[in-house]
Amino acid sequence: NIAMAAQMTDAHRRFLQVLMSHGIMEGSEARKLHRRCCEIHKVYYAHDKLDDFISTINSHLQPLFMQIRKGMSEVDGRAHYALVNLSETEITKMASDYAENELELFRKTMDLIISSENGFASSTDILNLADQLKTKKMKKKEAEQVLKVFVEDKWLSERNGEYTLHTRCIIEMEQYILSNYQDVARKCNICHSLAIQSQVCESCGIGMHLPCVRKYFRAQTEPRCPQCNDFWSCDIP
């Protein structure tokens, strides 16, 4: 049985191909795709075995330094799956897709987002950096276009002129961010993964994702910090 489970079938290959073309996929989409791939290739399907199915693919991706990773949307807490390149840590993966000054703009945008209180950077603040780039200055129009591409490529998300890191970016760059922004990057106290958009305890400074805040305080009559037990002064989303 174990030997069978570890075997890569055409269903696994199809799943991987579709995920590769998307880059990232929401959990419910991944579950539908899992089912469809198994049906098309007449492979045993069980609705609660998606993670096993993916770990089979991962065992075959290991020599290629790639992995399908599960992460969470910071907006609604939904699971997402993304294909991650393990050999090209940090921003080197992006280097083949973008010009040097575009990468510099991305890095500076990331600095703004990660060091902000709410995990967002305004387009005004980002565009003001465009003519301060060391590699090659950018006109604001150009910078606007580059930001648009970062959104299309799922590195950034934009809402009402405010930018944050896309779920794909967080899944892919979590280790890079945690090691390069040690002073400001924090993990969520509840799910222990990187928290960009988070609420922070005024007393002890721990952070929690908004969906984790919502879930954690749902059962409590009075919101108190899970770490220091002080009153949680932020508005519960």
Side-chain angles (χ1 to χ4, degrees), residues 129-191:
L129 301 170
D131 55 5
Q132 299 168 26
L133 300 178
K134 289 188 178 77
T135 43
K136 184 185 167 208
K137 290 178 173 45
M138 240 185 241
K139 291 194 174 74
K140 284 204 171 147
K141 269 270 168 280
E142 272 178 275
E144 278 172 358
Q145 201 44 48
V146 172
L147 283 177
K148 216 171 136 185
V149 172
F150 286 142
V151 170
E152 281 165 13
D153 292 349
K154 301 188 177 94
W155 293 110
L156 296 176
S157 292
E158 185 266 340
R159 205 166 67 212
N160 308 325
E162 298 269 314
Y163 289 83
T164 188
L165 301 184
H166 193 283
T167 307
R168 172 198 176 176
C169 180
I170 294 171
I171 294 174
E172 192 134 342
M173 293 198 187
E174 179 167 16
Q175 286 321 113
Y176 171 79
I177 293 168
L178 287 170
S179 52
N180 285 272
Y181 295 88
Q182 285 176 3
D183 300 341
V184 284
R186 60 169 68 87
K187 284 187 172 187
C188 172
N189 191 265
I190 302 298
C191 72

Side-chain angles (χ1 to χ4, degrees), residues 75 112-114 116-122 157-159 162-164 196-197:
V75 179
L112 284 177
I113 290 169
I114 293 167
S116 73
E117 278 186 8
N118 63 353
F120 282 90
S122 74
S157 292
E158 185 266 340
R159 205 166 67 212
E162 298 269 314
Y163 289 83
T164 188
I196 302 294
Q197 295 176 53

